[in-house]
Amino acid sequence: GAGVSQSPSNKVTEKGKDVELRCDPISGHTALYWYRQSLGQGLEFLIYFQGNSAPDKSGLPSDRFSAERTGGSVSTLTIQRTQQEDSAVYLCASSSSNSGNTIYFGEGSWLTVV
Amino acid sequence: GENVEQHPSTLSVQEGDSAVIKCTYSDSASNYFPWYKQELGKGPQLIIDIRSNVGEKKDQRIAVTLNKTAKHFSLHITETQPEDSAVYFCAATKQGAQKLVFGQGTRLTINP
């Protein structure tokens, strides 16, 4: 696609429920990132995928958070047993060495846990 | 690991004046420094970036300077316009598809 695509754009869920957020990176981009942005705050790194290498999961805040990337393209971020402090914008980004490793962001998935 | 500090957190300037936002980084191995603009309800958009082999880069009203010795870099916006109002983030990384470490952001307001 032309840009990084994320879905859903908005999600309201009840505390304790699981949610899945999807990211479709720019076609051909080998690197994929997830960041979290709480209201009025900066961007917090969550996880990074590069090709077939093991992902860098160092930013995941707890074991309720997980992510996978199937076939080196689409990624899903899963949050289990959501809590109110999980409310934030979840941003996906992708990059490629063919485009100078410039990192491009999607519009984000706005998650509200009530 | 890398740590990026950004100042000021808020900046208000008159339309037509210049705005400067400054960032410092801690890891001397970092060699790629992008700047992102984030408008309300949208994802961050890359506006300019600089690599460590140059000291300055310009794109129309926007320029970025890099001082590797002091480990700081700055964004300069000249002839500011109302549409420049947004939150700006600096970031640093070692290029090679490493994660970006972001500053805390600067909320820039252009007063007409």
Side-chain angles (χ1 to χ4, degrees):
Chain A
V4 177
S5 178
Q6 292 188 244
S7 62
S9 54
N10 284 284
K11 175 74 176 179
V12 179
T13 190
E14 290 181 353
K15 179 182 170 181
K17 295 279 179 71
D18 297 352
V19 295
E20 287 189 349
L21 307 176
R22 175 189 167 104
C23 173
D24 200 344
I26 294 171
S27 178
H29 279 197
T30 55
L32 186 147
Y33 312 76
W34 283 98
Y35 282 82
R36 177 169 72 173
Q37 187 175 32
S38 300
L39 188 62
Q41 301 298 309
L43 288 88
E44 174 191 6
F45 169 77
L46 297 178
I47 189 168
Y48 156 66
F49 297 89
Q50 172 60 280
N52 295 321
S53 302
D56 176 356
K57 303 180 182 180
S58 59
L60 294 178
S62 77
D63 59 7
R64 296 187 296 105
F65 287 73
S66 63
E68 59 179 29
R69 189 179 185 192
T70 53
S73 180
V74 172
S75 176
T76 302
L77 176 69
T78 301
I79 309 173
Q80 295 179 308
R81 305 181 301 282
T82 52
Q83 300 178 4
Q84 288 185 327
E85 58 262 34
D86 298 335
S87 297
V89 179
Y90 290 83
L91 291 158
C92 179
S94 70
S95 70
S96 168
S97 58
N98 293 334
S99 58
N101 288 314
T102 301
I103 297 174
Y104 298 93
F105 282 85
E107 296 294 299
S109 290
W110 293 65
L111 175 66
T112 303
V113 182
V114 297
Chain B
E2 178 64 274
N3 183 52
V4 178
E5 297 286 336
Q6 182 172 347
H7 300 280
S9 57
T10 61
L11 179 61
S12 184
V13 301
Q14 286 299 118
E15 182 178 353
D17 288 351
S18 295
V20 180
I21 302 171
K22 299 182 179 183
C23 290
T24 60
Y25 61 99
S26 61
D27 188 348
S28 57
S30 288
N31 56 11
Y32 176 61
F33 308 93
W35 286 88
Y36 287 84
K37 175 183 181 182
Q38 187 175 30
E39 297 176 332
L40 193 62
K42 303 207 167 189
Q45 279 198 307
L46 179 74
I47 55 171
I48 195 166
D49 57 12
I50 191 167
R51 290 171 171 79
S52 59
N53 59 344
V54 298
E56 183 175 3
K57 183 175 177 181
K58 275 188 177 181
D59 183 2
Q60 299 183 345
R61 298 185 297 107
I62 295 173
V64 57
T65 59
L66 171 66
N67 182 326
K68 287 185 292 183
T69 303
K71 289 190 283 189
H72 66 70
F73 56 113
S74 300
L75 177 72
H76 304 251
I77 306 174
T78 59
E79 300 171 26
T80 52
Q81 300 169 4
E83 53 265 37
D84 295 329
S85 294
V87 178
Y88 291 80
F89 291 96
C90 63
T93 189
K94 281 180 282 192
Q95 204 153 32
Q98 299 287 329
K99 68 187 184 193
L100 280 173
V101 177
F102 284 86
Q104 297 87 341
T106 297
R107 182 173 298 280
L108 175 63
T109 303
I110 308 301
N111 301 309

